[in-house]
Amino acid sequence: MASDSDSSDCGLLNQALPTPTLSSNFRPVAAPTSAEEYIQHVVWEARQCKAVVTVDLEEHKLNKPIAVVQKQVKATAPKGFTPSLESQQNLMASFSKLRAHIATLRASGKIPRPPIVLPGIKKREEWCKLCFGNSFQLALLKQSSQDSMQPQLIEGQQPLLSILLNIKQKGIENLLEWHAQWLEVLGFSEAQGRWFYALLACLEKPLTPETCSQIRHIAMMCAKIRASLETADHPHLSQLNVIICIVARYFCQEDLVDH
């Protein structure tokens, strides 16, 4: 709104309500006591606004480099290293059947007792020993080139359903995260391949964003290891392909699918 006495509007605004000319004794700090005085206050405040407002930019902030996060790309497998579409479909059918069996056992409440006492869900070192025996410890000692006498090899536990069904989902998620860390440290092993398969079979949907990111990271690492294999006859290739296929197809990470 504007009054006839306001010459700064250049005729661009039409007057909405008639307003009297502001008197010389108009006090903008005084609270309006009527509708007419309220409109006079609005008109007065509008006149205090500049027609053009500028901002002084701080050039050093404009030139500050911005961090760019690049999306990870799955390592390309050598020719002949990826499974056929038929093999992947058969794997998905078998994996889905196993998950249905696990769901039936959970629903029945008749979960078998584990053959051993299970560690707490936060006991990473104890779970490492359970999964791998002391082979992980021996491998670390070998990496550090320690000349001290090494302990005798103790075998780890197989990923039995009687063990996995007695682990809560938070524990399953913890184990996946720890296995990913162990994979980065010592590389892939057949024992770990079996544990990855079993853990993915017991992982309930829908996934949390953190767990989804974790299994993607696992599949990406498996793809990187696969790309480094020298021959398609390598004993680890089939397990690596299984893990990549399950993450990509069953857990709907389409950009990781082997075509």
Side-chain angles (χ1 to χ4, degrees):
M1 67 187 69
S3 67
D4 293 337
S5 61
D6 186 4
S7 60
S8 63
D9 61 4
C10 300
L12 295 178
L13 299 177
N14 294 323
Q15 182 172 337
L17 294 172
T19 57
T21 303
L22 297 181
S23 62
S24 58
N25 62 350
F26 175 74
R27 298 177 58 211
V29 295
T33 59
S34 65
E36 183 181 68
E37 288 185 6
Y38 174 78
I39 294 175
Q40 288 178 332
H41 274 76
V42 173
V43 172
W44 181 86
E45 289 177 0
R47 291 179 181 177
Q48 310 313 307
C49 298
K50 296 180 180 179
V52 178
V53 179
T54 60
V55 177
D56 294 328
L57 298 177
E58 299 182 38
E59 296 293 336
H60 68 280
K61 291 185 177 181
L62 292 178
N63 297 329
K64 186 177 180 179
I66 300 175
V68 177
V69 179
Q70 293 184 344
K71 182 181 178 180
Q72 284 188 314
V73 179
K74 186 182 76 170
T76 303
K79 186 177 181 180
F81 279 47
T82 56
S84 65
L85 176 59
E86 182 181 0
S87 297
Q88 294 183 60
Q89 290 173 339
N90 291 336
L91 171 61
M92 286 298 94
S94 175
F95 186 71
S96 297
K97 185 176 180 180
L98 173 60
R99 285 181 62 92
H101 176 60
I102 290 172
T104 300
L105 288 175
R106 283 173 171 161
S108 69
K110 299 177 180 179
I111 297 176
R113 294 175 61 87
I116 56 174
V117 177
L118 301 181
I121 62 171
K122 296 183 179 180
K123 303 290 186 179
R124 179 169 60 177
E125 290 75 15
E126 294 183 26
W127 275 106
C128 182
K129 188 174 181 179
L130 184 147
C131 296
F132 300 115
N134 65 345
S135 61
F136 189 82
Q137 177 190 6
L138 294 175
L140 288 178
L141 291 173
K142 185 177 180 180
Q143 277 192 357
S144 62
S145 301
Q146 295 187 14
D147 297 328
S148 59
M149 184 178 294
Q150 295 187 355
Q152 183 180 359
L153 177 64
I154 300 174
E155 296 294 336
Q157 286 285 335
Q158 296 286 336
L160 306 174
L161 280 180
S162 58
I163 292 176
L164 290 160
L165 290 177
N166 284 280
I167 305 174
K168 295 181 179 180
Q169 275 302 295
K170 182 57 180 175
I172 297 291
E173 294 169 2
N174 286 351
L175 277 171
L176 279 169
E177 180 181 356
W178 296 337
H179 271 276
Q181 295 170 358
W182 299 330
L183 177 61
E184 289 186 85
V185 174
L186 290 177
F188 190 81
S189 67
E190 292 184 16
Q192 192 171 52
R194 290 192 291 270
W195 273 96
F196 272 134
Y197 182 86
L199 290 169
L200 290 171
C202 294
L203 187 62
E204 295 180 354
K205 288 183 174 182
L207 303 182
T208 64
E210 294 78 12
T211 302
C212 184
S213 176
Q214 191 63 67
I215 65 172
R216 281 183 58 85
H217 179 55
I218 291 169
M220 297 284 274
M221 285 193 291
C222 289
K224 185 177 180 180
I225 295 170
R226 179 178 65 180
S228 68
L229 300 180
E230 296 180 355
T231 171
D233 296 327
H234 197 286
H236 292 169
L237 180 60
S238 60
Q239 286 185 312
L240 293 168
N241 281 337
V242 165
I243 296 167
I244 295 169
C245 180
I246 290 173
V247 172
R249 292 191 179 276
Y250 192 87
F251 291 100
C252 304
Q253 304 303 306
E254 300 296 334
D255 59 313
L256 302 181
V257 169
D258 287 325
H259 295 287

